[in-house]
Amino acid sequence: MIDPITQEIMKLYLEHQGLPQELSPTDQQAFLETESERIAERIDNMKIVMEQQVLQRYMRDNGQPPPYMEKVGMINQAWAQATDFVINEEIYGQLPPEMEAYPPDQESPEAEAERDQARIQVHKSDPERWRNPLNCADPDKEADRLTDQLWKGRPVQFLYYAAHLIAARIEDNEPYPTSQNHPLYPSFTSQLDERVDEHAASGK
């Protein structure tokens, strides 16, 4: 069962971010839940960071811990600021000026890996996922070898997309060119040229 905080984040995410239209309704729901849980986890991590900061600052300035009730108030305020920080950054895409000095929380390698894996899983059914390689697993050696064989000498950005396109086709058990004489080679090359041009024009 989804906890109330995550449910509230899901509502905000829907209102201000929306969902990838290329995904099926089922995948959209999975994406929404995964993103909301990630944001909720960031809030929890940031609460810990900011609570420690405010208590350490008090100790440094006063030479002793704060009285109990004052400590409770300081922690509650730190938690509220942590929530605002993450929500503003993740949902609204901006930070209030008074919060710009706060350091970002550090996500553990394990949590980051889990989040990346969840995102890859959500997009796994999308045949166009290669266009945004962050949504793809890393190409294996076979995909890298074939990419180099087919498009050797092409720019790095082209090869980057090419490796992910070939890898996606292999994963999906779909046809892909195996030589420059293959019937699919021209269309694949055209798709990749188009994607590189899009990236050059938009920066993403």
Side-chain angles (χ1 to χ4, degrees), residues 43-192:
I43 290 173
D44 287 341
N45 291 339
M46 182 62 93
K47 283 180 177 179
I48 294 171
V49 171
M50 295 185 69
E51 176 184 330
Q52 290 175 342
Q53 285 181 343
V54 73
L55 294 179
Q56 288 171 357
R57 189 180 304 120
Y58 187 97
M59 278 286 294
R60 185 176 63 248
D61 294 343
N62 298 278
Q64 60 184 6
Y68 176 75
M69 291 307 298
E70 187 174 353
K71 178 180 178 180
V72 170
M74 291 168 63
I75 290 174
N76 287 339
Q77 183 179 15
W79 285 11
Q81 289 175 333
T83 302
D84 287 345
F85 179 93
V86 176
I87 291 296
N88 275 284
E89 186 178 47
E90 292 278 1
I91 303 295
Y92 303 120
Q94 60 184 5
L95 294 179
E98 68 271 15
M99 301 180 77
E100 289 179 351
Y102 293 150
D105 57 323
Q106 297 296 314
E107 191 171 40
S108 71
E110 294 81 7
E112 184 177 0
E114 288 177 5
R115 175 170 59 83
D116 290 344
Q117 193 57 44
R119 185 179 64 250
I120 290 168
Q121 193 63 35
V122 165
H123 290 275
K124 197 166 186 178
S125 61
D126 178 13
E128 296 295 302
R129 62 189 180 278
W130 65 272
R131 291 178 173 274
N132 184 355
L134 289 177
N135 296 331
C136 306
D138 291 337
D140 59 16
K141 290 182 179 179
E142 174 60 19
D144 284 335
R145 182 196 64 76
L146 188 54
T147 296
D148 190 54
Q149 173 187 316
L150 293 172
W151 294 290
K152 189 175 181 64
R154 285 282 194 152
V156 172
Q157 192 71 46
F158 182 101
L159 297 175
Y160 177 63
Y161 288 118
H164 286 87
L165 173 56
I166 293 295
R169 286 299 186 120
I170 292 174
E171 287 175 4
D172 296 346
N173 200 27
E174 294 289 340
Y176 54 90
T178 53
S179 74
Q180 293 183 349
N181 297 320
H182 193 282
L184 289 174
Y185 179 77
S187 63
F188 271 56
T189 302
S190 178
Q191 287 185 74
L192 291 163

